[in-house]
Amino acid sequence: MTTMIHIIIPQAIKSVLPAMGNEFIILLKDTSLITVIGGKELLYAAQGVMNRTYEAMFPLLITAVIYLILVMIFTYLLGLFERRLRQSDRR
């Protein structure tokens, strides 16, 4: 059990992290597609604002900026984490 915790799991995390991080970012980008299915989330809230104000461009633009900021933050954090793991491989 100790071998699994100290040797195998850290190596597995290092090899799986880039793929999992990319999948997480893709999933975040694809959450806007859930409105087709009927889920309530950020784009659904923008549609509610559009229905109340009869202005379509501003709520969608704000929603796009929020998604862009979220994707940029998670991409940056994933890059930092991957760099840190690469540095630990060199030691």
Side-chain angles (χ1 to χ4, degrees), residues 47-58:
Q47 288 173 347
V49 172
M50 288 186 303
N51 290 337
R52 285 191 305 270
T53 62
Y54 300 108
E55 186 175 335
M57 191 58 152
F58 188 68

Side-chain angles (χ1 to χ4, degrees), residues 23-40:
E23 283 296 318
F24 178 73
I25 291 170
I26 289 170
L27 182 65
L28 177 68
K29 290 179 186 178
D30 288 344
T31 57
S32 61
L33 298 176
I34 197 155
T35 57
V36 174
I37 301 170
K40 293 183 179 182

Side-chain angles (χ1 to χ4, degrees), residues 65-84:
V65 168
I66 291 171
Y67 274 118
L68 178 65
I69 290 171
L70 285 172
V71 168
M72 289 174 66
I73 288 170
F74 287 123
T75 302
Y76 176 74
L77 291 175
L78 181 64
L80 283 178
F81 195 60
E82 286 178 358
R83 253 182 269 131
R84 180 143 186 184

Side-chain angles (χ1 to χ4, degrees), residues 5-19:
I5 292 172
H6 294 291
I7 297 173
I8 296 174
I9 291 177
Q11 289 177 358
I13 289 173
K14 287 179 186 179
S15 64
V16 171
L17 180 70

